[in-house]
Amino acid sequence: MAQATHGGPAESGTRRDFLNLMTTSLAGFGALAVAWPMIHSLNPSKDVLALASVEVDLSAIEVGQAVTVKWRGKPVFIRRRTEEEIKQAEEVDLATLRDPQPDDVRVQKPEWLILVGVCTHLGCVPQGQKPAEPRGQYGGWFCPCHGSEYDTSGRIRRGPAPLNLEVPTYTFESDTLVKIG
Amino acid sequence: MAAPVFKNPVIRWIDHRLPIFSYLHHEAYEYPTPKNLSYWWNFGSLAGVMLMVMIATGLILAMQYTPHVDHAFNSVERIMRDVNYGWLLRYIHMNGASMFFIVVYIHIFRGLYYGSYKAPRELLWQLGVVIYLLMMATAFMGYVLPWGQMSFWGATVITNLFSAIPWVGDSIVTLLWGGFSVDNPTLNRLFVLHFLLPFVILAVVVLHIGALHRFGSNNPLGIDTKGPQDTIPFHPYYTVKDMFGLGVFFIFFAFWVFWAPNALGHPDNYIPANPLSTPEHIVPEWYYLPFYAILRSIPDKLMGVIAMGASIVILFFLPWLDRSPVRSGTFRPVFKWFFWILVFDCVILMFCGKYAPEAYWTPFTFEIVDAATFTERYAALAGLSHEAALNAVGEMWGVNFASGTFGIKIVRLGQLATIYYFAYFLIILPLLSIFETPKQVPLSISKPVLGGGRAAAHAAAKPMEKA
Amino acid sequence: MSASRVILGLLTLLAGLAAVAIVIANPVAHSEVHAGHWSFKGFFGTYDQAQLKRGHQIYANVCAGCHSMDLLAYRDLQEIGYTEDEVKEIAAAVQVMDGPNDAGEMFERAGRPSDRFKAPFANEQAARAANNGALPPDLTLIAKSRAGVGFLGYEGADYIHSLMTGYEETPPEGVTLGEGLYYNHAFKGHQIAMPPPLVDSPEAPLAQQAEDIAAFMSWASETNLDDRHRMGIKAILFLVIFTLIAYAAKRKVWAHLH
């Protein structure tokens, strides 16, 4: 029979508990180390991240014209506002707004209004980009799904939408080149 | 056995209404296991772990894979390059298949040596064969999915085998293909089945373990446990031993994944499938090589397919082919020899499956040479004309020991190996059941035998191996 | 351990080693492919970024005229040491097809980092027509698909290196070259449709160019190697520690039964 050369039952008990604890903890750590790559593989992959930004050349857009680009699978409205549209946006009384925001926090250059073209109500794409489309009473955009109307700063003025149209992160790489995202 | 009292009140509440915890406690915790199991008994749990690994990695990979002929290859490359840790998941899944088969082959040979297939475990053994067949099918379908050259041509060759069936063969092949050749419909359905079968395997594994728990594990001595003196609870003894075995196995697995991830595969599978260009040698994955050799041993197409199928079906009948009352090979001195020859025979079959059947293996120079080169060398060394050499080399093998051009045709070697394989099960085992004189078997696992062979007493005195 | 157990253990080991040796043996190994020295060889191997950049230059200047690398994107070049701006420049230097625009037409625009490498030919037929019916293969996976990956994964680089340096102006005696074919020691069948692509010069010796392009091709087919080796070392370290602790636990648990 094997001799218990290492102390009595109590001591060998704690040493055994220690070893069991170590083994179990290491196994648990190993399991987590394996689980992380599996979970992280579901995060956006490199090719998706490569399309996370889009650069838009603004030189072809005339004053009063609007352009829609696709960014991260969603439409982005770029409108080159007229003097009148800018003035309209700046003169609105903030107290009347459901989601009060002054125009100057929503644009970097007043001439260029860049918004995510997704209605904040239930996600339809509002109309108003093309000349023939209705813009609603406030000169911005009109959502045909449930009648939300946005103004020339993309703020919600009427209808069920709770928030203004989202302003994405963008940087002007030059006067005619903007990088969205 | 009284139900264990759990400390946690939530567990008690659930267990009272659905006794899952008591059940698991009995089956995995207290479960009486022979105390003399060797490390050959680790491979069952390793196989279970590999099944989990394959399902987990497979699920995640399936989220990124596209089962369409125009996108499959590129979607796999996207996983390798763009998906976070995609290369790791792919290589684990790819090499995991090989690891799964290695573990299962060792598990099977353990069963063959220790007579684990004998009564009352016949059904347990047969469920195992079913699992093995399902694994073969799953792995075959999985290999098609990357849609490389070997994927496509391997699928073509194997599905074409069904045309050997008389009368309905061609219709069956068309049904399998969903078209006139392996194409998109085929790929789509193989993907679905590849996704499905592992869960079928899981269900059969549950039955397999159920059948195991009916009579408990076999052991290296092959004798039944007589009472609690012969057994120990599964936990903590075998849980901790399985943990250790898992660590060693994962080191082996990690080597392949991190440093030789493509060594067990075929380079041609990194070429996108091209139906208009056949690779020079169509070779299946290594775990099919022995069966490929058996298939090619027989010149007739249908007979070849039947032989290949028979080589696995024969395993279902093993409990009735081997009727020796002694289970374990430990006490069967003649059987041991034939068993080891079988092991090397399977390795030889693997060798024959890998190379072209018409090539020659020249053992003295350890080369594989094609037929034309071999004939040339033989003619030169034996001083014969080319025609005379051709006659001499003939169908069987070229023999000229003096000039060392001894070579054996791969197909001939494969035929000899196939004959031994079937002879082992159909002739040798039944005859051994009648004529072999086994060594004295100890009375029980714990108690030493009274008198009897040295080996038996030795075995009884040392009930289990030291690690 | 008794003698018979040792013998049985050795027999099993022998069977196992024989099986592994059979499986990994490379049946298409060319005797004329010579082993090279590669920075990514071995357990701690990593790619040499400077070498990869040189290799990329060779691809862009020499190979890209006929060979596509469809599975690489310009942004991948950041992994071999180019900065984000350099990558943008490399991409922008190429014109890629895009569209259709609102008029329904396809148009050309400057490349972006997210674009895949531009292929020299629009399709397989155009490629064959320009090359006497031969199709210059896509090179992204060439290092993994031609000479086999062998045991530790550098046989592909060996093959490409041997191919680049294996051209012979005059074929050996008894060999008649087919029309439009060149003699090459490493190529299977020894007659290859590709003319010798690399030119020797004092500033860029052929052997060095061959090494660089082989390394670049290896990277292209196996971009994960650096991460894989690094992770492997961590994994093995963890597993060894885990196994030792598990072994100690096992011995402890089983102590009184021995």
Side-chain angles (χ1 to χ4, degrees):
Chain A
M1 288 304 153
Q3 292 296 314
T5 50
H6 32 254
E11 192 186 304
S12 57
T14 34
R15 168 125 163 252
R16 173 154 125 186
D17 287 336
F18 170 73
L19 283 172
N20 288 346
L21 182 66
M22 279 294 280
T23 314
T24 324
S25 324
L26 282 177
F29 174 76
L32 286 172
V34 166
W36 169 243
M38 292 177 62
I39 296 170
H40 191 42
S41 76
L42 301 177
N43 270 330
S45 53
K46 285 195 230 161
D47 55 338
V48 168
L49 290 174
L51 295 173
S53 321
V54 71
E55 284 182 354
V56 186
D57 178 16
L58 304 171
S59 53
I61 306 176
E62 315 237 335
V63 178
Q65 209 191 347
V67 139
T68 310
V69 296
K70 190 158 139 183
W71 171 71
R72 294 188 183 175
K74 293 176 280 213
V76 168
F77 296 158
I78 302 176
R79 190 184 280 186
R80 190 171 181 181
R81 300 193 289 185
T82 60
E83 286 293 332
E84 213 191 292
E85 287 171 337
I86 299 171
K87 199 153 150 286
Q88 253 186 329
E90 287 170 349
E91 283 176 358
V92 171
D93 179 7
L94 296 182
T96 63
L97 293 175
R98 180 177 302 159
D99 179 15
Q101 266 188 318
D103 182 65
D104 53 17
V105 309
R106 293 176 58 75
V107 288
Q108 289 176 24
K109 297 186 188 196
E111 203 188 352
W112 295 101
L113 181 63
I114 301 179
L115 305 167
V116 178
V118 174
C119 183
T120 57
H121 179 228
L122 290 174
C124 295
V125 179
Q127 294 173 327
Q129 285 291 92
K130 303 223 166 69
E133 288 176 353
R135 291 186 170 193
Q137 295 179 290
Y138 300 89
W141 288 268
F142 170 76
C143 187
C145 292
H146 308 98
S148 296
E149 294 179 32
Y150 298 87
D151 64 15
T152 53
S153 185
R155 295 173 295 206
I156 182 65
R157 302 299 292 273
R158 191 170 142 151
L163 297 170
N164 301 335
L165 289 177
E166 187 193 331
V167 180
T169 350
Y170 60 88
T171 18
F172 277 94
E173 309 268 283
S174 76
D175 279 340
T176 51
L177 193 67
V178 67
K179 180 165 111 164
I180 306 177
Chain B
M1 280 277 182
V5 178
F6 294 105
K7 286 196 228 116
N8 186 315
V10 175
I11 294 189
R12 275 209 304 273
W13 187 94
I14 299 175
D15 197 63
H16 180 58
R17 291 153 180 76
L18 174 67
I20 184 81
F21 294 104
S22 306
Y23 179 77
L24 285 175
H25 194 271
H26 177 66
E27 297 297 323
Y29 231 66
E30 329 167 308
Y31 176 63
T33 321
K35 58 183 179 179
N36 61 334
L37 296 186
S38 66
Y39 278 99
W40 296 114
W41 265 258
N42 274 48
F43 289 89
S45 67
L46 286 181
V49 167
M50 279 320 297
L51 179 62
M52 298 304 142
V53 168
M54 295 305 281
I55 289 178
T57 51
L59 281 173
I60 298 283
L61 287 170
M63 294 182 185
Q64 310 273 9
Y65 170 76
T66 307
H68 188 283
V69 295
D70 294 335
H71 302 292
F73 188 88
N74 288 353
S75 72
V76 173
E77 280 302 310
R78 181 180 159 266
I79 289 170
M80 295 294 293
R81 291 157 197 280
D82 289 327
V83 172
N84 303 320
Y85 295 109
W87 58 269
L88 178 65
L89 294 166
R90 196 269 176 115
Y91 278 153
I92 290 177
H93 197 74
M94 191 164 122
N95 289 282
S98 288
M99 296 300 116
F100 200 178
F101 276 100
I102 290 175
V103 157
V104 163
Y105 280 142
I106 296 176
H107 183 70
I108 292 174
F109 276 99
R110 183 282 311 268
L112 288 173
Y113 185 78
Y114 290 105
S116 307
Y117 50 82
K118 289 173 181 287
R121 297 183 180 86
E122 305 96 319
L123 189 59
L124 169 65
W125 170 259
Q126 290 171 333
L127 286 168
V129 180
V130 169
I131 293 172
Y132 179 55
L133 281 168
L134 288 171
M135 278 174 64
M136 303 268 269
T138 310
F140 163 70
M141 294 188 272
Y143 194 66
V144 178
L145 301 183
W147 209 241
Q149 275 286 65
M150 275 309 164
S151 306
F152 178 85
W153 289 100
T156 304
V157 166
I158 298 302
T159 46
N160 261 320
L161 288 179
F162 288 89
S163 63
I165 301 170
W167 304 306
V168 292
D170 284 325
S171 311
I172 290 181
V173 174
T174 308
L175 180 70
L176 289 175
W177 285 343
F180 305 109
S181 65
V182 171
D183 205 342
N184 200 50
T186 327
L187 178 62
N188 247 297
R189 63 191 59 173
L190 290 185
F191 176 62
V192 172
L193 292 174
H194 180 73
F195 198 108
L196 171 71
L197 281 193
F199 298 101
V200 176
I201 292 177
L202 194 57
V204 183
V205 166
V206 170
L207 295 178
H208 187 69
I209 297 179
L212 173 70
H213 281 211
R214 174 68 179 91
F215 295 107
S217 298
N218 190 14
N219 64 83
L221 295 178
I223 49 186
D224 292 331
T225 56
K226 304 285 192 305
Q229 73 279 10
D230 290 339
T231 65
I232 44 181
F234 191 80
H235 178 77
Y237 295 96
Y238 289 109
T239 40
V240 76
K241 194 172 180 186
D242 280 346
M243 274 284 139
F244 169 58
L246 191 67
V248 174
F249 171 67
F250 273 170
I251 291 174
F252 178 70
F253 189 4
F255 166 74
W256 296 100
V257 168
F258 292 104
W259 284 286
N262 293 298
L264 298 170
H266 199 289
D268 276 4
N269 225 30
Y270 281 106
I271 303 172
N274 183 353
L276 300 177
S277 159
T278 314
E280 209 180 306
H281 300 290
I282 302 175
V283 192
E285 286 289 89
W286 69 266
Y287 31 86
Y288 297 118
L289 289 176
F291 302 103
Y292 203 50
I294 294 175
L295 173 74
R296 296 194 298 190
S297 297
I298 306 191
D300 180 67
K301 186 168 168 184
L302 180 61
M303 290 312 295
V305 173
I306 291 177
M308 185 174 75
S311 64
I312 304 183
V313 167
I314 212 173
L315 296 173
F316 279 102
F317 300 100
L318 184 55
W320 296 276
L321 292 167
D322 178 7
R323 293 171 184 274
S324 167
V326 176
R327 273 200 200 111
S328 171
T330 319
F331 303 107
R332 303 180 62 186
V334 182
F335 164 88
K336 264 190 215 176
W337 280 102
F338 286 109
F339 171 81
W340 281 106
I341 297 174
L342 178 71
V343 171
F344 282 100
D345 186 63
C346 290
V347 174
I348 291 171
L349 279 172
M350 193 158 67
F351 176 80
C352 294
K354 180 159 181 165
Y355 296 107
E358 297 306 306
Y360 284 85
W361 176 50
T362 56
F364 295 142
T365 46
F366 281 101
E367 267 184 283
I368 313 282
V369 292
D370 60 62
T373 316
F374 184 79
T375 315
E376 228 176 86
R377 280 198 206 165
Y378 184 81
L381 284 164
L384 290 175
S385 71
H386 191 73
E387 295 76 41
L390 271 175
N391 287 332
V393 168
E395 264 307 297
M396 190 126 161
W397 46 47
V399 181
N400 187 332
F401 286 104
S403 39
T405 49
F406 174 71
I408 180 168
K409 239 186 191 181
I410 297 287
V411 70
R412 188 67 64 201
L413 186 59
Q415 284 163 345
L416 294 173
T418 305
I419 288 171
Y420 181 79
Y421 180 91
F422 283 103
Y424 176 87
F425 292 103
L426 294 172
I427 302 173
I428 295 171
L429 284 185
L431 286 179
L432 282 178
S433 316
I434 304 169
F435 293 114
E436 182 181 31
T437 318
K439 293 200 187 135
Q440 185 105 20
V441 172
L443 282 179
S444 83
I445 292 171
S446 309
K447 286 207 296 248
V449 72
L450 296 169
R454 191 164 60 95
H458 184 73
K462 276 186 160 204
M464 74 244 57
E465 298 173 19
K466 243 176 148 74
Chain C
M1 282 234 263
S2 66
S4 60
R5 264 209 197 114
V6 172
I7 294 172
L8 289 182
L10 285 175
L11 272 175
T12 321
L13 193 63
L14 183 64
L17 288 174
V20 171
I22 288 169
V23 170
I24 65 174
N26 191 340
V28 293
H30 300 284
S31 52
E32 306 206 54
V33 171
H34 37 266
H37 168 79
W38 306 107
S39 66
F40 46 92
K41 209 162 155 167
F43 284 92
F44 303 97
T46 50
Y47 290 120
D48 173 3
Q49 287 203 332
Q51 180 174 50
L52 293 183
K53 276 167 95 166
R54 292 196 303 270
H56 169 248
Q57 287 303 315
I58 297 173
Y59 166 73
N61 297 333
V62 179
C63 323
C66 299
H67 290 279
S68 58
M69 284 187 94
D70 290 337
L71 296 167
L72 278 180
Y74 293 107
R75 56 178 164 85
D76 293 327
L77 292 173
Q78 277 191 278
E79 286 174 42
I80 65 174
Y82 288 110
T83 64
E84 195 181 330
D85 288 326
E86 284 173 328
V87 165
K88 275 197 201 161
E89 247 184 76
I90 295 171
V94 172
Q95 287 288 309
V96 298
M97 190 78 84
D98 201 354
N101 57 21
D102 285 338
E105 292 156 5
M106 307 300 282
F107 59 91
E108 294 222 313
R109 59 156 174 83
R112 301 181 195 132
S114 57
D115 290 324
R116 295 265 131 103
F117 275 25
K118 183 180 176 180
F121 303 106
N123 48 58
E124 182 184 326
Q125 290 79 356
R128 283 188 188 277
N131 289 286
N132 288 325
L135 176 66
D138 183 276
L139 294 181
T140 336
L141 289 167
I142 200 88
K144 280 210 279 204
S145 70
R146 280 298 181 273
V149 292
F151 200 52
L152 289 172
Y154 43 84
E155 267 81 337
D158 288 340
Y159 174 70
I160 293 168
H161 181 254
S162 304
L163 192 73
M164 292 292 112
T165 53
Y167 279 93
E168 208 66 64
E169 273 232 43
T170 37
E173 261 202 57
V175 175
T176 15
L177 271 184
E179 204 185 304
L181 296 176
Y182 303 82
Y183 188 85
N184 188 295
H185 285 288
F187 191 69
K188 189 159 176 67
H190 297 303
Q191 302 202 23
I192 188 172
M194 172 171 75
L198 301 177
V199 175
D200 197 15
S201 73
E203 311 87 47
L206 184 64
Q208 183 64 51
Q209 285 189 60
E211 267 188 38
D212 294 343
I213 192 67
F216 178 70
M217 290 298 143
S218 297
W219 169 79
S221 66
E222 196 85 57
T223 52
N224 59 71
L225 185 137
D226 289 351
D227 286 335
R228 178 161 49 87
H229 284 185
R230 214 182 14 237
M231 199 184 286
I233 292 167
K234 287 190 215 159
I236 293 288
L237 239 54
F238 169 78
L239 285 171
V240 166
I241 294 171
F242 172 79
T243 308
L244 290 173
I245 306 256
Y247 181 61
K250 186 262 175 193
R251 287 298 297 254
K252 201 81 190 59
V253 165
W254 283 78
H256 70 280
L257 279 180
H258 282 309

